[in-house]
Amino acid sequence: MSAPKVKLYTNHGCPWAHRAHISLAELKLPFEEEIIDLSTPRTPEYLKINPRGLVPSLEYNGEILTESAIISNFLANEFPSHLIPLSNAPGGALFRAKVDFFVDTFISKVTSNFFKALHAKTDEEVEGFVKEYVDAVVKEIEPLLGNAAPFFNGSDKLTQAEVLTGSFVVRLFTLPRHGLFPEHILGDLSTRAPNFYRWGQAVSKHPSVLVIYDEEVIAARTKERLAKLRAA
Ligand SMILES: N[C@@H](CCC(=O)N[C@@H](CS)C(=O)NCC(=O)O)C(=O)O
């Protein structure tokens, strides 16, 4: 089989596009990348590739795929690996169902509170969302990580569960030290959700999760974006 032609349209500040980078790094797939400037309107050329104007988009042997979860799941299926078993492998369908539930729960019940806290106007509001974040982890995520070793479902390697959540986890573990988030969130998590805290530490140090993550740049850009929003 000849090597596939892979091109990723991305922006290194975007946690959704970051998912595709984690997939490509774990699968060791060579790819070309085009950085899309999100500070200006999308070009007509890019809107032909992705009419929604969002990143990421993936060109795979001339076909275009959009939406980060669809891209990462496509890559995991096209290149079977340690990330996720095939659904017809023994236990494969069950593992996939567990990953789906974990990712859906993390994105729908937990991460939204992170962005709400970032955008909150008063310290009291920030603390409210931080508490909601920690409470949601304790209730929803902590029980799903009892057998993490250190990754999802007893795996010693990254899985699709980390591919689809790692970009948000690394932000949680790094942005508090830049004053973007109350630092006590990590202390609260370490006492109230020790499984999650151990898992998150391993995820946020993994080379494939860090592959495009420039903590200083992300922190500075997030501060700039928030300052602009507040001034508006
Ligand atoms: N549901 C999409 C979300 C992608 C998304 O929201 N990307 C943002 C950057 S993080 C974007 O392209 N925004 C366009 C803009 O800012 O104009 C996915 O998972 O791929």
Side-chain angles (χ1 to χ4, degrees), residues 128-203:
F129 291 123
V130 165
K131 181 168 181 326
E132 281 185 39
Y133 189 105
V134 176
D135 287 348
V137 168
V138 170
K139 177 180 170 202
E140 303 269 357
I141 299 293
E142 181 69 1
L144 306 178
L145 289 172
N147 65 348
F151 301 115
F152 189 70
N153 210 40
S155 177
D156 61 351
K157 296 199 183 91
L158 230 55
T159 75
Q160 196 67 353
E162 287 84 19
V163 166
L164 295 172
T165 55
S167 59
F168 300 100
V169 174
V170 72
R171 282 162 173 76
L172 169 70
F173 276 77
T174 56
L175 294 184
R177 54 183 174 241
H178 297 270
L180 278 158
F181 225 74
E183 286 203 78
H184 71 80
I185 190 170
L186 293 174
D188 296 354
L189 286 165
S190 75
T191 43
R192 293 188 57 207
N195 298 332
F196 173 81
Y197 187 76
R198 265 193 307 275
W199 171 82
Q201 277 189 314
V203 172

Side-chain angles (χ1 to χ4, degrees), residues 13-17 19 38 40 42 52-56 66-69:
C14 172
W16 305 104
R19 287 172 150 181
L38 298 178
T40 58
R42 297 311 92 77
R52 295 182 186 172
L54 302 174
V55 292
T66 61
E67 287 297 318
S68 59

Side-chain angles (χ1 to χ4, degrees), residues 40-228:
T40 58
R42 297 311 92 77
T43 61
E45 290 76 25
Y46 189 62
L47 290 173
K48 273 192 205 140
I49 291 164
N50 184 345
R52 295 182 186 172
L54 302 174
V55 292
S57 301
L58 185 86
E59 202 174 313
Y60 185 81
N61 289 338
E63 299 275 353
I64 303 287
L65 292 175
T66 61
E67 287 297 318
S68 59
I70 291 173
I71 291 170
S72 285
N73 286 334
F74 163 73
L75 290 170
N77 290 332
E78 184 76 348
F79 301 96
S81 72
H82 59 279
L83 289 177
I84 197 155
L86 295 172
S87 47
N88 59 2
L94 187 61
F95 189 99
R96 285 174 166 252
K98 287 184 182 174
V99 168
D100 286 348
F101 182 73
F102 178 82
V103 174
D104 180 77
T105 303
F106 189 76
I107 299 298
S108 66
K109 309 280 186 211
V110 177
T111 27
S112 52
N113 292 307
F114 185 79
F115 293 102
K116 284 183 195 158
L118 270 183
H119 291 100
K121 295 209 170 59
T122 64
D123 289 350
E124 206 182 340
E125 270 176 24
V126 171
E127 288 301 335
F129 291 123
V130 165
K131 181 168 181 326
E132 281 185 39
Y133 189 105
V134 176
D135 287 348
V137 168
V138 170
K139 177 180 170 202
E140 303 269 357
I141 299 293
E142 181 69 1
L144 306 178
L145 289 172
N147 65 348
F151 301 115
F152 189 70
N153 210 40
S155 177
D156 61 351
K157 296 199 183 91
L158 230 55
T159 75
Q160 196 67 353
E162 287 84 19
V163 166
L164 295 172
T165 55
S167 59
F168 300 100
V169 174
V170 72
R171 282 162 173 76
L172 169 70
F173 276 77
T174 56
L175 294 184
R177 54 183 174 241
H178 297 270
L180 278 158
F181 225 74
E183 286 203 78
H184 71 80
I185 190 170
L186 293 174
D188 296 354
L189 286 165
S190 75
T191 43
R192 293 188 57 207
N195 298 332
F196 173 81
Y197 187 76
R198 265 193 307 275
W199 171 82
Q201 277 189 314
V203 172
S204 59
K205 286 181 189 144
H206 193 286
S208 296
V209 173
L210 294 172
V211 68
I212 56 149
Y213 187 68
D214 186 332
E215 181 182 330
E216 303 299 323
V217 170
I218 299 287
R221 279 207 204 133
T222 307
K223 280 184 193 166
E224 262 170 44
R225 196 163 44 78
L226 292 175
K228 261 192 213 154

